[in-house]
Amino acid sequence: MGLFACATAGFGLRVKVELQHIHKRFGPVHANDDVSLTVEAGTIHGLLGENGAGKSTLVKILSGFITRDSGVILLDGRPAHIRSPADALRYGIGMLHQDPLDFPPLTVVENFMAGSPSTPPILNPRAAEREFRRWCARFNFDIDPHAQVGDLTVGERQQLEIVRLLANGVGTLILDEPTTGISASQKTLLFQTLRRLADEGKSIIFVSHKLEDVEALCDRVTVMRRGQVAGELDLRPLHAGAQQASSHHPEIAARIVELMFGRALAMPTKPPTRRDEVVLSIEGLVLRSDRLEIRVDQLSLHRGEVVGIAGLEGSGQQLFLTACAGLEPPAAGSIHIAGHNLTHRPYADFLRAGVCYVPADRLREGLIAGLTIQEHVALRASGRHFFIDRAEVRAEAERAIAAFNIRGRPDTYVERLSGGNQQRTQLALLPAPLSVLVMEHPTRGLDIESTLWVWQQLIARCQQGTAILFASSDLDEIVQYSDRVIVFSGGRVSPAIPVAELDVELLGQMIGGRF
Amino acid sequence: MNSTIPSQTTLPWLWRLPALVYRSGALIISLLLIGLIVLLSGASPIEVIGRMLVGAVSTPDQIGRVVATLSTLLLCAAGLVYTFNAGLYNLGVEGQVTFGAIATTFVLRLLYPEEATASLLPPPLTIALGILAGALGGVLWGLLAGALHVYGRISEIFAGLGLNFAATGVAIYLIFGPWKRPGVASLSGTQPFDESLWLGTFGQTEATPVGLGLGLLALLITIVVMRNTYFGLRLRAVGKNQYAAHVLGVPARQQLLSAFFICGLFAGLAGAIQVVGVFHRLIPNISSNLGFLGLLVVMLVNFDPLWVLPVALFFSALNIGSLQLPLSLGLESSLAGVIQGLLVLFALLGRGLAQRYAAS
């Protein structure tokens, strides 16, 4: 291995990885609840689950970025003491992060040399470059060693990371959402490389929330749900023979969807509130972020209508919602609110037109930690006068607290409220009348009572003529309260489907990217 | 083999103390450390503190110098309350003071040319215009930092520091170039203005009623604005969470620029007072570093303007009192800076620890 002497002396190339009874809590959240996972040497093991299912926590424990509360890690049957990423690397475990952990201002070779456990005090860039070229040639990677990393594409940075980890003697490779933001040809090359590494005996853990990728690549898949292992499936039958994998084995795909989301869907419970008048209409909308491009050809929301957005998180829902609320300018297309063209108008115009956005991350995006409930009430009323009428603001805050059943006082700081009460506060701050309400995970983290209460309030809004557009990772919530449903899958957007025409299988297929 | 590994993130119960313990503990530690430093420099802490405080109030002259320092410090601190509450570390306050002073000097020189024997306008009006120009100069320098931050996405810290150098550079250029004294240019500054352009003082002291009045007025306005107006509330909202404030409909950019505007205005006034009230000319370090001292004051009071006056008074007294130390005890007068720095550093540490560990 030349410059990068193999750091894993004593560990054979074929390493079986076992995680047993792993527990990890973040405050009240049990992120990993008795999770056990076995990855055989020479296999690609998929780890599938929604955002927040606990899969990232699990692999970060294995790669030393997070320390576990309890549980055991075995490598080839021997316990491994991993407390930092450097420890993990000594055991030959390397992780490729979703956002590559590299140094954009440095060159490719400099990055390649960084982080090696055996770097000599005096660097030898020429030797490193030769070694880098050898590795690239092996996997058909085409990266200029002298390019600046910041100028590479996400896919190329990934390739650089893979080569760097392998050169550092990694025998267990963890990949976190590696297919987000890379081109189709880069994805093909990545899959070929991973298959080849597995054939050489390395263990690969492939973390994803994309069904199709897991189906196409993995030998086995472990599905996680709410911090626990929901089940494990053998996917090799998918690859045996057929190229067009899952079309021959729809039962396996259906089984995965079932493991991810649970079996039966709830019944629709929303009363009809839809009126004829269109309040939000979208034509030919194109949205771009650094990772995704979304196209929504046509969507109209009627007054009183609820449209739910299903799909795995990170499929572009947030981008779409913030664009509809006027917080993100679209790359192309138009947004009309109540007949007025508001495309590329400032956010203030959207607010004036009665569009409101309620983000999921209540304390980071929706409310202001360090301000009290009444200060939020005052902030909403801001602009009318110069001086604050304290008595009036306090009275208004008290009215809101009573009406929305918030457990807090006007001078309670919002960060001291429970999640449910924060959500109630967000709802209490919504102006009336309201044309379009855009919500992200309206009931995330709430108990059943609060969830029901929130939707009572929302439906009352619909009866007053507000249209609601919301995203949720809870399929039950979507089916129960929506009139129509849109599915996002990896940046692709399905047409809106009336909720009556949906069942769990169809939804699962669409979430997996088939529509 | 099945031994469980304890979590490293949970804190020992010992650390879970009330916030007040952290805050007062930090204060006590900083005082002990100050005492230790004084002891190491070969003096008695009690004596040093005594001398400094006595030194600050021993003669009317000394009290006057404390009040003069306080006036400028109050203007700087009041301005910084806005930027701090908007979440900005406006290190550029020094440059805003300096540029205010330059603008004032410019107008005074314009209305009272060197070869003239009297001001072109009545002296009080000349002084008023000079002070107004100082305010505008500060606003210009403040808005420049604000524009670099808001539109150029440059950290306000670097924008401010850069503009500080620029302002000092301009001052030195003027002092050694176009505005140099007849005969020799020197670091001691421009030719002093005619006495008719000096601000009136309390008796024979350095303190000026106008300076003190402006300082107190600025602070009073600031207290009212921060506690009782929508503008102050919006400013705090932007400072605590710019994105959420934006989502809630607060025009964040406008608020940030307003904060820079007001801070520049007050700092510019401070610069003007330094020229017409204290030095009666432009000198290279016209701010006497009172802008930086203002940063310390406002950080120490946790950005709450209500507590600015007592702390600013204490710091002013330390500054002036410490000037006695070389004479009476043979100590460096820079001890005042050490004391002020340590107090603030430990106050911030105590606040940080309390936020992180305190039992709620």
Side-chain angles (χ1 to χ4, degrees), chain A residues 67-70 72 79 83 327 347 351 357 363-371 375-376 378-380 382-383 385-388 390 416, chain B residues 1-9 224-231 233-234 236-238 240-241 243-250 360:
Chain A
T67 50
R68 58 203 184 276
D69 292 346
S70 66
V72 180
R83 286 176 165 274
L327 287 160
Y347 174 61
L351 283 178
Y357 175 55
L363 272 190
R364 212 169 289 160
E365 300 180 344
L367 299 172
I368 297 164
L371 295 189
E375 283 172 327
H376 278 82
L379 208 53
R380 267 296 192 203
S382 176
H385 302 282
F386 185 70
F387 286 104
I388 297 173
R390 287 179 176 277
R416 300 260 161 159
Chain B
M1 208 174 85
N2 273 326
S3 65
T4 56
I5 292 157
S7 159
Q8 296 177 315
T9 49
V224 172
V225 165
M226 290 314 298
R227 296 177 78 84
N228 293 311
T229 68
Y230 285 105
F231 175 78
L233 177 62
R234 287 197 298 264
R236 284 195 294 140
V238 170
K240 286 177 192 298
N241 187 335
Y243 184 76
H246 174 62
V247 169
L248 286 169
V250 178
S360 50

Side-chain angles (χ1 to χ4, degrees), chain A residues 55-198:
Chain A
K55 50 194 199 311
S56 272
T57 305
L58 187 68
V59 291
K60 280 183 181 162
I61 285 173
L62 179 58
S63 55
F65 282 85
I66 299 178
T67 50
R68 58 203 184 276
D69 292 346
S70 66
V72 180
I73 299 173
L74 299 177
L75 298 177
D76 276 341
R78 275 177 291 181
H81 301 283
I82 297 172
R83 286 176 165 274
S84 70
D87 284 348
L89 206 54
R90 270 195 290 280
Y91 283 107
I93 297 170
M95 180 154 167
L96 181 67
H97 291 259
Q98 185 173 5
D99 295 299
L101 285 184
D102 50 20
F103 306 96
L106 302 185
T107 68
V108 168
V109 171
E110 283 166 337
N111 265 273
F112 181 66
M113 290 189 289
S116 161
S118 58
T119 308
I122 295 169
L123 296 173
N124 185 348
R126 286 177 182 284
E129 189 186 326
R130 275 197 301 277
E131 169 145 0
F132 177 75
R133 286 187 191 279
R134 264 204 304 282
W135 281 102
C136 285
R138 236 185 105 191
F139 297 113
N140 296 325
F141 293 162
D142 181 23
I143 312 172
D144 173 10
H146 302 290
Q148 197 170 314
V149 168
D151 298 334
L152 300 184
T153 65
V154 178
E156 286 168 333
R157 288 167 70 174
Q158 229 173 40
Q159 294 169 355
L160 167 63
E161 269 299 279
I162 291 177
V163 160
R164 192 180 70 79
L165 290 170
L166 291 175
N168 284 334
V170 161
T172 302
L173 188 60
I174 303 164
L175 300 100
D176 191 6
E177 304 286 356
T179 57
T180 311
I182 67 175
S183 70
S185 61
Q186 283 170 337
K187 184 165 136 182
T188 312
L189 186 57
L190 175 70
F191 282 13
Q192 281 168 4
T193 307
L194 294 179
R195 178 45 65 196
R196 188 164 152 197
L197 290 172

Side-chain angles (χ1 to χ4, degrees), chain B:
Chain B
M1 208 174 85
N2 273 326
S3 65
T4 56
I5 292 157
S7 159
Q8 296 177 315
T9 49
T10 48
L11 261 143
W13 60 271
L14 213 73
W15 282 78
R16 301 227 143 248
L17 301 167
L20 192 66
V21 176
Y22 284 102
R23 307 287 287 268
S24 44
L27 182 65
I28 291 166
I29 292 174
S30 62
L31 290 177
L32 288 177
L33 216 64
I34 290 163
L36 187 71
I37 288 170
V38 173
L39 279 177
L40 283 176
S41 54
S44 139
I46 309 268
E47 199 181 352
V48 166
I49 297 292
R51 291 280 173 137
M52 282 171 101
L53 292 182
V54 170
V57 297
S58 54
T59 64
D61 200 35
Q62 289 299 90
I63 297 178
R65 293 170 76 184
V66 172
V67 172
T69 306
L70 176 69
S71 311
T72 304
L73 188 56
L74 280 181
L75 279 166
C76 293
L80 287 165
V81 165
Y82 296 91
T83 45
F84 268 122
N85 274 287
L88 300 164
Y89 284 77
N90 182 19
L91 293 198
V93 65
E94 281 282 324
Q96 289 148 26
V97 173
T98 306
F99 207 76
I102 291 171
T104 301
T105 310
F106 172 75
V107 167
L108 292 191
R109 290 178 64 90
L110 202 66
L111 298 177
Y112 196 126
E114 271 173 61
E115 58 277 13
T117 50
S119 176
L120 301 179
L121 296 169
L125 186 59
T126 306
I127 294 176
L129 287 174
I131 292 176
L132 185 69
L136 291 177
V139 165
L140 174 73
W141 227 238
L143 280 182
L144 213 53
L148 283 172
H149 174 65
V150 172
Y151 298 107
R153 301 194 178 232
I154 295 169
S155 157
E156 77 280 7
I157 295 176
F158 298 128
L161 283 177
L163 287 172
N164 287 353
F165 281 114
T168 308
V170 172
I172 289 177
Y173 163 72
L174 290 170
I175 289 167
F176 283 90
W179 294 353
K180 71 169 180 254
R181 283 182 166 192
V184 287
S186 91
L187 270 179
S188 59
T190 56
Q191 178 75 19
F193 294 113
D194 185 81
E195 279 200 41
S196 65
L197 296 186
W198 296 14
L199 273 184
T201 57
F202 289 110
Q204 291 304 304
T205 66
E206 275 186 18
T208 63
V210 173
L212 184 63
L214 280 177
L216 289 173
L217 184 66
L219 184 62
L220 186 71
I221 291 172
T222 303
I223 291 173
V224 172
V225 165
M226 290 314 298
R227 296 177 78 84
N228 293 311
T229 68
Y230 285 105
F231 175 78
L233 177 62
R234 287 197 298 264
L235 212 54
R236 284 195 294 140
V238 170
K240 286 177 192 298
N241 187 335
Q242 202 174 320
Y243 184 76
H246 174 62
V247 169
L248 286 169
V250 178
R253 284 185 163 185
Q254 195 185 314
Q255 292 289 322
L256 291 176
L257 287 174
S258 309
F260 277 111
F261 180 96
I262 298 172
C263 188
L265 179 80
F266 286 173
L269 281 174
I273 296 301
Q274 290 290 91
V275 170
V276 292
V278 181
F279 294 106
H280 311 302
R281 60 183 190 268
L282 183 66
I283 63 170
N285 184 21
I286 187 75
S287 73
S288 307
N289 292 337
L290 290 175
F292 283 137
L293 195 61
L295 286 164
L296 294 191
V297 169
V298 181
M299 279 195 268
L300 192 61
V301 300
N302 201 12
F303 319 153
D304 183 352
L306 212 53
W307 298 98
V308 161
L309 184 58
V311 173
L313 184 60
F314 176 58
F315 275 24
S316 302
L318 277 186
N319 257 21
I320 298 305
S322 67
L323 297 176
Q324 302 294 307
L325 291 178
L327 295 173
S328 55
L329 294 172
L331 292 176
E332 271 291 315
S333 64
S334 56
L335 194 61
V338 176
I339 293 176
Q340 290 156 350
L342 279 175
L343 280 175
V344 173
L345 205 58
F346 276 86
L348 292 179
L349 182 67
R351 197 145 70 219
L353 288 177
Q355 263 170 17
R356 190 155 168 204
Y357 296 126
S360 50

Side-chain angles (χ1 to χ4, degrees), chain A residues 31 38 73 118 166 176 184 219 223 235 255 286 288 295 310 320 325 349 380 410 419 425 457-458 474:
Chain A
T38 301
I73 299 173
S118 58
L166 291 175
D176 191 6
D219 300 311
V223 180
L235 299 182
R255 177 90 185 103
V286 179
R288 283 197 195 104
R295 291 168 181 280
F320 179 61
D349 288 4
R380 267 296 192 203
T425 306
Q457 302 301 311
L458 294 179
D474 182 348

